[in-house]
Amino acid sequence: MKVLALDDEALALEGLVSEIKEALPDSEILSFRNPDEAMEALATFVPDIVFLDIEMRTDNGVDVARRIKALNEKVNIIFVTGYSQYMEDAFEMHASGYVLKPVTQEKILKELNNLRHKPLSEKRVFARTFGDFALFADGMPVSFTYAKSLELVAFLVDANGALCSIDKIICNLWEDDDTAQNKSYLRNLVSDIRHTLKGLGIEDILVSTRCLY
């Protein structure tokens, strides 16, 4: 389980992380006091759960939650606060939980039993389609030899399982009309993707038919 904890008070954050470790002893936890630093970490770290202080000195937790949801709409947000009047805001955000301070292991476990979304770490492959596109395998970003390979993956993910012809792919990935050269380049991209996915043991997510070449 991958967890991100955010609270601008040092002692509150320390206590929160301690209770999360008790509730989830095998979890990987990143903790931050600054929302901007947390957002930077989310470029490469894909958490299953974000424990988020709803009232910080300089930032509103609901606004921060919206920024996080813009990157990944399936992340579980659990708000942490000392004030019960914010529960309505949490419900409007479709949060996965709401923990009143002081945070305890028991309170955390209660919310974990009612998560809105299945933890992403239980899924081998995850595509982030909000913000900058990224492909993750076992929680780690997938890197390809060619930058264009990631563009092709993004196009195929957007197709949502539909069969895509060579001409359709070329039309969307390139603007020039040098079809012969682009077909050759496309074969290199497919080879790059297949080789990378095979190295991760997830090559079966890419399916092609003989009529493509």
Side-chain angles (χ1 to χ4, degrees):
M1 189 85 73
K2 293 178 178 291
V3 178
L4 187 143
L6 175 58
D7 194 312
D8 64 346
E9 295 184 7
L11 289 178
L13 182 60
E14 182 180 340
L16 174 60
V17 171
S18 176
E19 295 302 324
I20 294 173
K21 287 180 178 178
E22 290 292 329
L24 296 168
D26 297 324
S27 61
E28 179 183 352
I29 305 171
L30 292 186
S31 61
F32 298 91
R33 294 179 58 193
N34 184 298
D36 290 333
E37 293 179 358
M39 294 303 300
E40 289 180 10
L42 291 174
T44 55
F45 183 76
V46 183
D48 301 297
I49 306 169
V50 173
F51 287 88
L52 175 60
D53 185 18
I54 205 169
E55 188 177 40
M56 294 176 277
R57 293 185 184 89
T58 59
D59 296 87
N60 182 291
V62 175
D63 292 336
V64 175
R66 291 193 180 99
R67 292 168 62 190
I68 294 173
K69 284 278 191 178
L71 291 176
N72 174 17
E73 64 175 355
K74 298 297 184 181
V75 67
N76 291 287
I77 302 285
I78 296 180
F79 286 113
V80 181
T81 182
Y83 307 95
S84 59
Q85 66 262 35
Y86 292 107
M87 292 186 72
E88 184 177 347
D89 293 327
F91 291 143
E92 289 180 358
M93 276 295 303
H94 302 291
S96 293
Y98 190 98
V99 175
L100 281 173
K101 297 179 180 178
V103 180
T104 65
Q105 176 185 351
E106 290 73 24
K107 290 179 181 178
I108 289 176
L109 287 173
K110 182 180 179 180
E111 301 307 318
L112 293 178
N113 288 330
N114 295 283
L115 293 178
R116 182 178 294 272
H117 304 292
K118 181 179 180 180
L120 294 174
S121 61
E122 295 181 11
K123 303 177 183 179
R124 286 226 57 202
V125 183
F126 166 69
R128 186 180 68 199
T129 56
F130 287 76
D132 293 333
F133 178 85
L135 186 71
F136 294 84
D138 299 324
M140 298 299 294
V142 178
S143 298
F144 298 98
T145 301
Y146 304 108
K148 204 75 173 177
S149 295
L150 189 60
E151 288 186 42
L152 175 54
V153 172
F155 173 76
L156 295 175
V157 169
D158 184 64
N160 198 29
L163 184 65
C164 300
S165 68
I166 286 179
D167 290 341
K168 184 176 181 180
I169 292 173
I170 289 176
C171 180
N172 280 271
L173 263 63
W174 290 280
E175 295 181 358
D176 61 81
D177 296 324
D178 193 347
T179 304
Q181 180 178 346
N182 288 336
K183 282 185 177 181
S184 177
Y185 192 8
L186 178 59
R187 289 189 178 92
N188 289 336
L189 297 184
V190 173
S191 178
D192 177 31
I193 294 171
R194 286 195 181 282
H195 176 75
T196 301
L197 298 182
K198 185 175 182 179
L200 296 168
I202 54 174
E203 66 272 19
D204 57 334
I205 69 171
L206 181 66
V207 179
S208 64
T209 64
R210 291 182 181 180
C211 63
L212 287 179
Y213 292 102

